Amino acid sequence: MKSKVIILGLIFCYVLVVVPFSSYLKNRPVMLKLGYVPAGKVLRAIVGDQRYLTAEIYIVRVLFYFGELFGINRERVAVTPEYFNMYRTLENAVLLDPYNTDAYYFSQAAFTWELGRVREVNSMLKHGMKYRTWDYQLPFFVGFNSAFFLNDYQAAAEYMKRAAELSGNPLFTNLAARYFYEAGKTDFGIAFLETMAKSAHDRKLKRIYEVRIEALRAERFLAGAVDRFEKERGRMPESLRELVTSNLIEKIPLDPYGGRFYLDRSGKVRSTSKFAFRE
Amino acid sequence: MRLFLALTSVTLRGILRDRMLRAILGTVLLLILLVPVFSMFSMRQVQELAITITLSAISFFLLVMSLLLGSSSVWRDIERRYTSSILTLPVSRRAYILGKFSGIAIFIVCCGLFLFLVSVPVIMFAASSYPSDVPVHWLNIALAIGADILKYLLVAALALLFSTISTSFFLPFFATIAVYLAGSASQEVFEYVSGQFGTELQPASVAVIKGVYYILPNFSAFNLKVPAIYGLSHSPGGLALTTLYGVIYVVILLVLAIKIFSRRQLP
Amino acid sequence: MKSESIHSIEISSLSKTYKGRKGKAVEALSELSLTIQNGEICGFLGPNGAGKSTTIKILMGLITATSGTATLCGLPVTDPGARKRVGYLPENPSLFDYLTAREYLALCGRAFAMDGESILRESQRVLELLDLREAADRPVRGYSKGMVQRLGLARTLLHDPDVFILDEPMSGLDPVGRALVKDILKDLKSRGKTVFFSTHITADVEVVCDRVAVIVGGRLRSVDVVDELLESGIEGYDIQVKNCAPALYAGLTSSPKASDITEIYVPRDRFNEFLAHLGKNGGDIHLIEPKRKDLEAFFLDILGKG
C-alpha cells in the first residue's frame, strides 16, 4: 500500500517534469541537436573498426535533422538551418566511410544551391569517385556543378563523358551539350533536377528537388515574361509588378523558399530568399 | 544511517579493490595526458579538439564504469551468496540496494571530479600552445562533466535494476546498452516523427513511438559537450529541468529495483 | 522485557512450493510446525534435500513461505528487526572475499547497531575464541574452508544474541574445529541461549541437543527429547561375569573374555530375571554395559518407515 503510493507519486512527478522537459529539448538551438563532430582523421583513429557504423550514424543524424527542418518550414516557422554544420558532419562521414552514397547524394542535393559550397561539394564527390569507381552519378554531379555553377565547360564535358561511359547511356553528354547551347542555364538546371527527382527514392531528396524545380520554373516563367516585355516595349520593365499591370502575366508566382521575386539592376529575375531556406 | 554508510563503504571497497577497474582508470588517465599530442591533428582548432577528446574520454570511462559496476552488482552478490551473509543481518533489502547504489554512485562522482581536475591542466596546456579565438569556458566544461555524471548515474541505476532481475552478467549488460543506445537516439526519432515524416506513418505507430519516447530515459539531454567546446550559453531553466528529470528517473529506477529485489528468493 | 509466552522460534504450518521444470510444482516444505523454547538446544536432523535449509532460509528472510507463518523472538520473519537478537551461520558461508575478517565483523556490528568501541572489543574476543587472530587482517579470499566456517561462527557470536540458528555448523571443520564448536555449543547451553541447528550427522545431536526434530521429504516426522530417545533405545546389556555356572546363561549369546570371565548378552526384558538368577546361584558381576540403538539407527528407522 505504502509503496504503491510512493510509486504513484513518483510517476506523477515524472509526468510533471517530462512534459516541459521534452518541449525544452525540442526547442534547443539546432547546433546542440546536431552536435559537434571531431575532425574525420582523428575520429577515424579513435573509432577504429566501427568507422562505417559511425559514418552511418552521422549521416542519419543529418538526414533526420534535415527532415525535421522541412517539417518546421512547412509550418512557416522561421529557423536558420545549420547548413555548415550539416556539411561538416557529412564531410567527416565520407572520410570515415568513402563508400556511403547517402552522404554524396545529400551533399549534392542540399549544399550546392543553399550553401554555395560548390567547390567543396565537388572535391567531396571527386573523393568519392576514387572509391565508387562504378558509380556514374558522382561524375554526373561534378559535371553538372562544373557547368552550372562554375562555368567550367571543359571539365563538365570531361565528367559527363565519364558518366556516359559508366552508365552506358549517352544521355549525359547530350544533356550538357544540348541544353547549354540551345537553352540557358535555368533550363539546364531544370532538366538536371527532373532527372534527379525521377531517380530519387528518398522522399526528402525528392522533396528537395521538387522545391528547387518549382523555384526554377517560376524564375524561368518570369524571365520569359521579362524577355517578351523587352521585345514589345523596347525597354526593361521597372519592376516585376509592371509585368502584371501590362497584362503580360496574371500574377507573380510564389517563391517556394518563402522569398519574394524581384528584378535586379541588370534585369535578372532574383528572389530575396536566394533560393534557400532562410530566416 | 550508520548501517547505510557501512553498506556503502563495503560496496566502495569492493570497487576500489578490483584490479581491472584500476587498470581501466589508468588507461583513461594516460589517454587524457596524451590529449595535447592528439590535439596536434587539428590545424585550426587545437583547443576545441583538446576539450572534445578530454570530455569524450571522461564520458567513455564513466560509461564503462557505470555499465560494469551496475550490471555486475546485485546478481553477482546473489550468485556468490554474499546476500546470505548480509541480508541475514538485520538489514532490509531496501537498505542493501540503496547502499549498493550509493557506493557505485560515489565512485562515479569521485572519478568524474578527479578526471575533471586532471583535465584542467591538460586543456590549459593545449589551449596555451595554440590559442583559439574562443576562450575556454571552464564553467561549461564543468557543467558538461556534471551532466555526464548524472547521465551515468542513470545508466548505473538502470543496470542495477536489470541486475536485480538477472542471474547472469548478460541480461543487465546488454539490456542496459540497448536502452542506452535507444535513449540516446530517442530525441531525434521523436522530433523526426513529430515533423512531416510523422504524417506519412500510421497514426498508431506514431503514438507507439511517442509513448516509448516518454518512457525511455532521454540520454541526449545530458550531452552538454557542444556548449563546452564552443562556449555557447546555457539556459538555466533547461539545466534545472534536466537535473530534475535525471534525479526523478534515478529514484524511480531505484524504487523499482527495491520492489523487485524484495520479492526475489535468495539462495 | 521478554514475556515468557514468547518463544525463541515459532513455526506454524509452514509450506514452500517451488516452480520446478515445466511449471511442475515442487513441494520443498509441507505444513511444518515447530516451536523452539527459550534456552533449548534443538537439532534439526534430516537427509540431504529434506527441507532443512529451506526452513532456515525462511526463518532468516532469504526466501518467503508459500503459506504459514514463522516468528523469531515474537517478530514475524519478514521484518528485518526479527534478526536483531539472532546469530545466523549459513551453510558453507560465503563472505565478502575482498574484506578482511575484521572489516566484515565491523559491518556486522554496525548492522546489529553496536557502537564502535564494542565492535572493536567484541571482534577481538570472537576472533580469539575461534583462533582467527592471526588471519584477522587478511582478506577472506585467502582463507581455507575451515577458516571461513570459523569466521561465520565468529559473526554469530559477535553481538551475543539470544537465539542461534546454525545451518550445518560442523561441516568443513577438522576434528579440532568440531571439538571447538561442540564446546561453544555447550557453553551457549550453559548460558541459557537458544540454539537451533541443522545437521545430517547424528553424533552431533547426541552430544549437545536437548531435543531433535527429524524432517524427511519436507515433512516433520518426529520431535523427541534426546535423553528419552536414548533411554528408550536400550535393547539389552552386555554383562561380564566371574565364576558363573554355564547353566545360568544357557540360551543366551556368550563369549569367553578371559580364563574366568565370560561376557553374556542379556536382552532388556530378561535383565531382571537374569540378575535374580545370578544372585541366587552365585557369581560375581564384573561389568554391566547397556546396549542401545544409537540415534543413527533411530534416524534410519524413521527413514525406513517413510
Side-chain angles (χ1 to χ4, degrees):
Chain A
M1 186 57 211
K2 205 177 112 198
S3 70
K4 264 186 194 157
V5 172
I6 293 175
I7 289 177
L8 282 177
L10 280 172
I11 291 174
F12 181 68
C13 291
Y14 180 71
V15 172
L16 273 190
V17 169
V18 82
V19 174
F21 175 67
S22 67
S23 87
Y24 148 70
L25 284 178
K26 216 178 157 183
N27 296 318
R28 275 203 303 184
V30 280
M31 175 101 162
L32 296 186
K33 287 184 190 166
L34 207 51
Y36 165 76
V37 184
K41 276 181 199 160
V42 181
L43 201 61
R44 194 167 162 150
I46 294 172
V47 296
D49 259 7
Q50 305 304 325
R51 58 197 173 100
Y52 303 102
L53 176 69
T54 314
E56 191 60 49
I57 290 171
Y58 282 147
I59 292 165
V60 167
R61 190 188 280 177
V62 169
L63 292 180
F64 267 29
Y65 168 70
F66 194 78
E68 176 207 332
L69 208 67
F70 253 87
I72 294 172
N73 267 298
R74 270 206 161 174
E75 294 153 22
R76 297 271 162 208
V77 180
V79 175
T80 315
E82 196 61 48
Y83 280 123
F84 183 66
N85 206 10
M86 280 160 72
Y87 172 71
R88 249 185 59 81
T89 306
L90 289 182
E91 195 184 25
N92 285 321
V94 299
L95 274 177
L96 292 179
D97 178 6
Y99 292 97
N100 200 314
T101 41
D102 287 344
Y104 300 117
Y105 286 27
F106 188 83
S107 302
Q108 171 65 20
F111 301 137
T112 43
W113 269 285
E114 273 82 354
L115 203 56
R117 296 210 158 235
V118 178
R119 283 176 207 283
E120 281 89 341
V121 172
N122 267 7
S123 87
M124 190 202 274
L125 292 169
K126 284 176 195 165
H127 171 76
M129 276 159 67
K130 278 187 264 173
Y131 298 90
R132 299 182 59 83
T133 48
W134 64 91
D135 191 342
Y136 67 87
Q137 303 253 31
L138 300 183
F140 173 48
F141 294 161
V142 179
F144 172 79
N145 291 344
S146 303
F148 190 82
F149 296 105
L150 305 174
N151 300 327
D152 182 352
Y153 305 114
Q154 202 185 338
E158 226 169 81
Y159 282 107
M160 285 297 185
K161 198 176 149 225
R162 193 158 159 195
E165 280 164 12
L166 284 174
S167 67
N169 187 344
L171 172 79
F172 295 112
T173 33
N174 294 344
L175 201 67
R178 206 179 87 218
Y179 280 102
F180 246 88
Y181 294 111
E182 288 176 9
K185 242 183 174 177
T186 312
D187 283 347
F188 179 43
I190 290 173
F192 169 78
L193 292 166
E194 275 173 345
T195 317
M196 293 303 294
K198 235 177 268 169
S199 65
H201 297 293
D202 188 89
R203 282 176 172 281
K204 280 186 298 296
L205 284 181
K206 228 185 177 80
R207 179 99 190 106
I208 295 175
Y209 291 127
E210 282 165 2
V211 171
R212 172 77 50 202
I213 291 169
E214 201 184 325
L216 288 183
R217 283 203 177 126
E219 188 195 326
R220 186 177 62 180
F221 171 73
L222 288 171
V226 172
D227 280 352
R228 268 180 288 152
F229 186 94
E230 205 181 347
K231 266 180 204 156
E232 283 174 22
R233 311 272 169 102
R235 69 168 175 91
M236 293 292 286
E238 292 285 320
S239 69
L240 290 180
R241 288 237 47 93
E242 207 178 339
L243 297 174
V244 183
T245 49
S246 59
N247 286 328
L248 266 174
I249 56 173
E250 261 181 41
K251 59 171 185 172
I252 301 171
L254 284 175
D255 174 4
Y257 290 95
R260 193 172 44 77
F261 285 110
Y262 67 96
L263 215 53
D264 74 357
R265 274 186 214 149
S266 64
K268 276 208 151 205
V269 176
R270 295 200 181 277
S271 170
T272 50
S273 71
K274 294 182 183 154
F275 288 174
F277 292 116
R278 260 167 231 270
E279 225 166 333
Chain B
M1 196 59 205
R2 282 175 68 227
L3 170 63
F4 172 70
L5 288 179
L7 290 169
T8 304
S9 89
V10 166
T11 308
L12 258 179
R13 268 180 230 179
I15 296 170
L16 292 175
R17 288 177 191 178
D18 195 320
R19 281 198 203 124
M20 191 183 73
L21 301 186
R22 278 187 239 167
I24 301 176
L25 182 60
T27 315
V28 168
L29 265 180
L30 188 70
L31 184 67
I32 291 180
L33 291 177
L34 283 176
V35 160
V37 181
F38 282 129
S39 306
M40 303 303 167
F41 281 111
S42 172
M43 297 293 177
R44 281 166 293 182
Q45 35 181 15
V46 174
Q47 173 194 312
E48 284 85 343
L49 190 62
I51 298 173
T52 308
I53 299 180
T54 310
L55 288 180
S56 298
I58 294 174
S59 171
F60 183 71
F61 171 74
L62 294 180
L63 170 67
V64 170
M65 282 299 146
S66 55
L67 255 178
L68 286 182
L69 295 177
S71 44
S72 66
S73 57
V74 179
W75 70 267
R76 207 169 63 161
D77 282 8
I78 297 173
E79 193 198 55
R80 295 192 176 171
R81 297 197 304 118
Y82 291 165
T83 44
S84 75
S85 73
I86 193 148
L87 288 169
T88 49
L89 299 167
V91 171
S92 68
R93 297 202 180 181
R94 181 178 57 208
Y96 167 79
I97 291 278
L98 292 180
K100 198 94 213 160
F101 179 73
S102 74
I104 296 173
I106 288 173
F107 179 74
I108 291 176
V109 171
C110 290
C111 278
L113 291 179
F114 171 66
L115 291 174
F116 172 61
L117 291 180
V118 172
S119 67
V120 168
V122 170
I123 293 174
M124 277 172 124
F125 176 74
S128 66
S129 52
Y130 295 92
S132 160
D133 43 352
V134 185
V136 181
H137 286 253
W138 292 109
L139 178 66
N140 282 7
I141 293 176
L143 278 174
I145 295 178
D148 263 352
I149 290 175
L150 187 56
K151 170 161 81 170
Y152 294 121
L153 291 184
L154 192 53
V155 172
L158 194 66
L160 185 88
L161 170 65
F162 285 127
S163 78
T164 59
I165 307 168
S166 176
T167 53
S168 76
F169 185 69
F170 295 101
L171 170 75
F173 186 71
F174 289 107
T176 309
I177 288 183
V179 173
Y180 177 74
L181 292 179
S184 303
S186 66
Q187 185 68 30
E188 282 173 41
V189 175
F190 174 75
E191 288 175 16
Y192 193 53
V193 169
S194 304
Q196 187 219 358
F197 184 69
T199 56
E200 294 160 16
L201 285 175
Q202 296 266 340
S205 39
V206 173
V208 168
I209 291 172
K210 287 191 176 178
V212 170
Y213 163 78
Y214 282 112
I215 292 170
L216 277 180
N218 194 326
F219 289 115
S220 61
F222 300 94
N223 186 352
L224 303 183
K225 290 192 183 63
V226 176
I229 295 163
Y230 291 110
L232 308 180
S233 61
H234 284 292
S235 90
L239 288 182
L241 267 176
T242 306
T243 311
L244 202 58
Y245 173 82
V247 169
I248 290 179
Y249 213 107
V250 167
V251 172
I252 288 179
L253 290 175
L254 289 180
V255 167
L256 283 178
I258 291 167
K259 197 126 181 76
I260 291 168
F261 187 59
S262 299
R263 291 183 183 179
R264 188 145 178 187
Q265 308 288 302
L266 302 173
Chain C
M1 207 168 84
K2 206 171 5 171
S3 100
E4 280 308 305
S5 63
I6 293 177
H7 299 295
S8 294
I9 303 174
E10 197 154 8
I11 303 171
S12 67
S13 43
L14 210 58
S15 297
K16 175 70 186 175
T17 316
Y18 287 109
K19 236 182 242 161
R21 275 187 201 155
K22 294 175 189 168
K24 236 179 170 181
V26 178
E27 202 167 42
L29 211 58
S30 162
E31 294 288 323
L32 182 92
S33 296
L34 184 63
T35 303
I36 312 294
Q37 312 288 342
N38 299 342
E40 162 180 55
I41 298 201
C42 180
F44 197 33
L45 197 61
N48 294 329
K52 300 186 300 268
S53 283
T54 303
T55 311
I56 287 179
K57 280 180 199 158
I58 292 174
L59 288 179
M60 298 316 295
L62 288 172
I63 57 180
T64 48
T66 313
S67 66
T69 56
T71 59
L72 293 174
C73 308
L75 288 171
V77 291
T78 45
D79 177 357
R83 302 192 279 272
K84 260 208 174 107
R85 299 305 309 150
V86 177
Y88 168 66
L89 172 72
E91 185 181 3
N92 302 324
S94 170
L95 315 169
F96 293 88
D97 63 7
Y98 53 84
L99 294 181
T100 67
R102 230 181 270 282
E103 286 169 340
Y104 176 65
L105 290 176
L107 169 69
C108 298
R110 295 262 157 69
F112 290 118
M114 293 163 71
D115 61 64
E117 193 195 332
S118 48
I119 288 177
L120 286 180
R121 195 183 56 235
E122 294 302 302
S123 298
Q124 194 59 26
R125 176 179 69 85
V126 293
L127 287 170
E128 268 169 33
L129 181 64
L130 286 148
D131 197 18
L132 285 167
R133 213 178 55 182
E134 277 171 41
D137 294 309
R138 278 188 284 149
V140 176
R141 191 180 287 125
Y143 281 23
S144 72
K145 203 178 170 206
M147 286 163 86
V148 174
Q149 184 81 4
R150 277 183 278 149
L151 178 56
L153 272 164
R155 165 198 143 163
T156 64
L157 298 165
L158 181 71
H159 62 305
D160 193 29
D162 301 323
V163 181
F164 290 80
I165 296 179
L166 314 174
D167 201 349
E168 305 279 0
M170 310 285 191
S171 82
L173 291 177
D174 57 14
V176 182
R178 279 163 185 268
L180 182 65
V181 173
K182 279 177 197 167
D183 284 346
I184 290 172
L185 287 176
K186 282 177 192 158
D187 175 57
L188 292 177
K189 187 176 177 176
S190 72
R191 285 164 50 214
K193 305 289 186 185
T194 310
V195 181
F196 180 57
F197 77 92
S198 80
T199 181
H200 55 263
I201 301 165
T202 49
D204 298 343
V205 177
E206 261 183 65
V207 183
V208 288
C209 289
D210 297 320
R211 284 200 303 162
V212 57
V214 179
I215 181 171
V216 180
R219 287 166 200 278
L220 193 65
R221 283 305 167 80
S222 73
V223 186
D224 294 284
V225 175
V226 173
D227 286 345
E228 285 173 12
L229 208 61
L230 291 177
E231 208 172 291
S232 74
I234 296 177
E235 292 173 316
Y237 301 85
D238 276 334
I239 305 177
Q240 291 181 9
V241 287
K242 243 186 209 169
N243 311 320
C244 178
L248 213 62
Y249 49 87
L252 295 172
T253 332
S254 64
S255 57
K257 276 282 162 185
S259 58
D260 54 347
I261 296 177
T262 311
E263 188 182 270
I264 307 158
Y265 175 72
V266 183
R268 190 178 179 165
D269 54 341
R270 291 181 61 184
F271 181 63
N272 287 333
E273 179 199 348
F274 179 79
L275 280 190
H277 277 295
L278 198 67
K280 222 185 280 171
N281 299 320
D284 300 326
I285 297 175
H286 182 64
L287 183 86
I288 298 182
E289 201 178 0
K291 292 300 282 182
R292 58 189 173 201
K293 254 176 41 182
D294 58 7
L295 258 176
E296 182 137 5
F298 160 77
F299 178 49
L300 290 174
D301 262 6
I302 291 178
L303 281 184
K305 270 185 248 162

